[in-house]
Amino acid sequence: MPAAPGLTRVLTRYADGRSELSLDPDLRVFVADLVRPYGLPLREDLLAEGVGHAYEELAAGLLAEALGPDEPADVLIQAFDSPDIRPGAPTSLALSRSCAGTPTALALCDQGTAGAFAALRAALAYQRTGVARRAVVVLAEQTALHHRPPEPVTLPDRHCAVVLVCETLPGEELTVRQESGAAVGPDDSVGSVGSVGSVESVAEEVRRQAKALGEDAAVLLAAGLEVPGLDAVRVPAGQPFTGLWSALAERLPGWRAERRPVLLADFDPRLGVLSTLTLRAGPPS
């Protein structure tokens, strides 16, 4: 099989404590300006106490660990669901200075847990069109929300960052698919966007993809995704955006050494989007 875009490295890091930026008085001004049109109150207690973590601080060291000085990145895509605490500054641009090369820097948000998969689809598209030889995806979430949301939201238990490095890898076949209640785009060489309806059809689609990979497939399911009758590893609750990818970072080296195909699946009930990643691993590293 010819070399194709593959997933060569997945690293994760948790952090405790806070960033000093959480005490920056500009944070209150920035958040107040954002929520004022919607009449949402600030969390004055959190702003006074100083809680939360800046994504640049959380991910910069992990990027340096993932990529050596002679491994320049061509594209860097940062994806997040819970907001950063750095007022006004584009963190993706700041992170692009934490790795070799001068990568095109993008950020993706407001797509729930589907955002991580969407970022990977974009990274792979850059590679397949020849624009990027090495693409990097940075996922991050932190525990503080400095305003009261209009409806309940699930925040992570800990600050966490994940770095995924996409490069050509002989023999690897990597596919990312996203399906929603309404089709939003045609099939393409990176992944597909189709339609999915009920909870039962979500489970059936995950079972179908697992079956297509074979009996030895390793299946990793995000917290909250129920697929009865499927032998799978369930990710514990607590890290809604990064938990699935942290579990992949822990288990992928072993699965790759065993030459097992891998399926990741997540379903965002707010958006009605099923996201999957299938990986037929290349040679053991």
Side-chain angles (χ1 to χ4, degrees):
M1 183 182 295
L7 193 58
T8 57
R9 277 161 276 185
V10 186
L11 286 78
T12 187
R13 175 174 295 169
Y14 291 92
D16 298 314
R18 69 183 186 198
S19 295
E20 288 305 308
L21 280 171
S22 64
L23 292 169
D24 189 331
D26 284 344
L27 176 60
R28 187 189 187 284
V29 175
F30 184 72
V31 176
D33 287 345
L34 289 179
V35 303
R36 187 176 296 111
Y38 308 99
L40 300 176
L42 298 178
R43 286 292 306 269
E44 298 286 2
D45 55 336
L46 300 184
L47 289 165
E49 181 183 352
V51 297
H53 215 294
Y55 289 155
E56 181 184 0
E57 294 180 29
L58 190 60
L62 193 59
L63 266 174
E65 182 180 340
L67 295 174
D70 58 344
E71 297 178 304
D74 302 301
V75 174
L76 183 147
I77 304 176
Q78 178 203 4
F80 58 96
D81 190 25
S82 54
D84 198 350
I85 67 161
R86 180 172 179 168
T91 302
S92 58
L93 292 178
L95 287 173
S96 72
R97 296 191 290 268
S98 296
C99 55
T102 55
T104 299
L106 309 170
L108 189 153
C109 61
D110 297 330
Q111 294 194 30
T113 58
F117 292 85
L120 264 177
R121 292 185 72 232
L124 294 174
Y126 270 102
Q127 286 188 290
R128 290 186 185 274
T129 56
V131 174
R133 186 175 69 88
R134 180 178 292 112
V136 180
V137 173
V138 179
L139 312 176
E141 62 182 341
Q142 56 93 22
T143 63
L145 188 62
H146 293 91
H147 68 276
R148 296 193 183 278
E151 59 185 43
V153 297
T154 302
L155 292 171
D157 293 339
R158 298 180 66 187
H159 316 305
C160 183
V162 178
V163 169
L164 303 103
V165 180
C166 301
E167 303 168 282
T168 55
L169 188 63
E172 181 144 302
E173 181 182 342
L174 174 62
T175 304
V176 181
R177 297 183 178 89
Q178 294 187 278
E179 305 179 62
S180 64
V184 295
D187 289 356
D188 57 41
S189 60
V190 175
S192 63
V193 181
S195 60
V196 68
S198 65
V199 172
E200 291 77 12
S201 65
V202 168
E204 181 58 35
E205 174 60 20
V206 174
R207 281 193 292 266
R208 184 193 69 79
Q209 292 189 33
K211 183 178 180 180
L213 289 176
E215 294 182 357
D216 63 336
V219 181
L220 194 58
L221 300 180
L225 178 55
E226 300 287 344
V227 185
L230 182 64
D231 183 16
V233 176
R234 292 288 306 278
V235 176
Q239 301 295 139
F241 192 72
T242 61
L244 182 68
W245 306 96
S246 292
L248 179 65
E250 177 184 349
R251 294 174 180 271
L252 183 58
W255 287 338
R256 181 163 274 155
E258 296 169 355
R259 308 277 294 167
R260 297 180 67 183
V262 178
L263 170 65
L264 272 70
D266 196 354
F267 180 67
D268 189 311
R270 294 180 301 166
L271 303 178
V273 175
L274 170 65
S275 301
T276 62
L277 177 150
T278 57
L279 177 66
R280 296 183 184 273
S285 56

